Amino acid sequence: MRILVLMLLLMLAAPALHAEIYKCIDTNGNTLFTSDSTEAKAKGCKAMNLAPPNTISSPKPQTKGGSAATPPNFPKVDAQTQQKRDNDRRRILEQELANEQKLLDQARKDLAEQESIRLGSERNYQRVLDRLEPFKKKVQLHEDNSANLRKELAGIR
């Protein structure tokens, strides 16, 4: 019985799946859409092409390394200039890492100092956690910054 009902529903839905949609413009310039072919033909409407769009994209040109090809008019830098730029970048990143490490050490010191203090107004342990949270966040921030700078340094040629 279920199969019969399912087949009946599919037979009723099939025409709707293949229904043509027509675009009509009335005398006032308003746009109307209809699926009634006899009405559309009488009004001189145009059938719309509602085929699904092509979702396959064209392949991108690639070089041996897997990156996109460089356009021929792209400005090029000689090896010596690029090496100087890389060395400058490495030096700057190393300075930033040293500064970040100092800030991390100070943030850890401040957190340890705050953890050793217990205020009289903090009988509820949640108040202690609330007071320590900004210090923990600061330590986490400097740890993340240091890790990102190390990763950046590792990627330099």
Side-chain angles (χ1 to χ4, degrees):
M1 180 68 180
R2 289 183 182 179
I3 295 175
L4 183 63
V5 172
L6 182 62
M7 290 181 63
L8 181 62
L9 286 174
L10 286 173
M11 288 173 45
L12 291 173
L17 292 175
H18 299 298
E20 190 87 34
I21 304 293
Y22 297 92
K23 179 179 179 181
C24 309
I25 299 177
D26 65 7
T27 55
N28 296 331
N30 298 322
T31 303
L32 306 169
F33 298 95
T34 184
S35 61
D36 185 2
S37 61
T38 55
E39 179 185 340
K41 290 177 184 173
K43 292 182 179 181
C45 300
K46 295 180 180 177
M48 297 179 63
N49 181 9
L50 297 178
N54 183 3
T55 57
I56 299 173
S57 60
S58 62
K60 295 183 171 90
Q62 293 193 351
T63 60
K64 292 178 187 175
S67 61
T70 305
N73 60 348
F74 195 79
K76 298 191 183 207
V77 177
D78 63 290
Q80 185 178 7
T81 303
Q82 186 61 46
Q83 184 64 38
K84 184 181 180 304
R85 288 178 182 175
D86 290 343
N87 290 339
D88 289 345
R89 183 171 176 229
R90 178 182 302 280
R91 183 183 44 79
I92 291 168
L93 288 172
E94 286 171 347
Q95 287 174 352
E96 287 181 11
L97 181 59
N99 290 338
E100 200 61 42
Q101 195 62 43
K102 287 178 190 174
L103 292 171
L104 175 60
D105 292 342
Q106 183 61 43
R108 284 181 177 158
K109 181 181 172 188
D110 293 344
L111 176 61
E113 183 179 305
Q114 289 297 316
E115 286 175 334
S116 67
I117 298 173
R118 186 69 183 249
L119 302 176
S121 63
E122 296 176 333
R123 292 184 183 165
N124 183 346
Y125 189 65
Q126 184 61 45
R127 289 186 178 177
V128 175
L129 295 176
D130 291 344
R131 179 175 53 85
L132 293 177
E133 187 174 350
F135 294 96
K136 290 180 180 180
K137 284 184 175 180
K138 195 171 187 180
V139 167
Q140 185 63 46
L141 173 74
H142 292 301
E143 286 175 347
D144 292 345
N145 288 347
S146 295
N148 288 334
L149 286 167
R150 282 189 199 93
K151 188 192 304 186
E152 191 75 22
L153 276 168
I156 294 178
R157 296 179 236 163

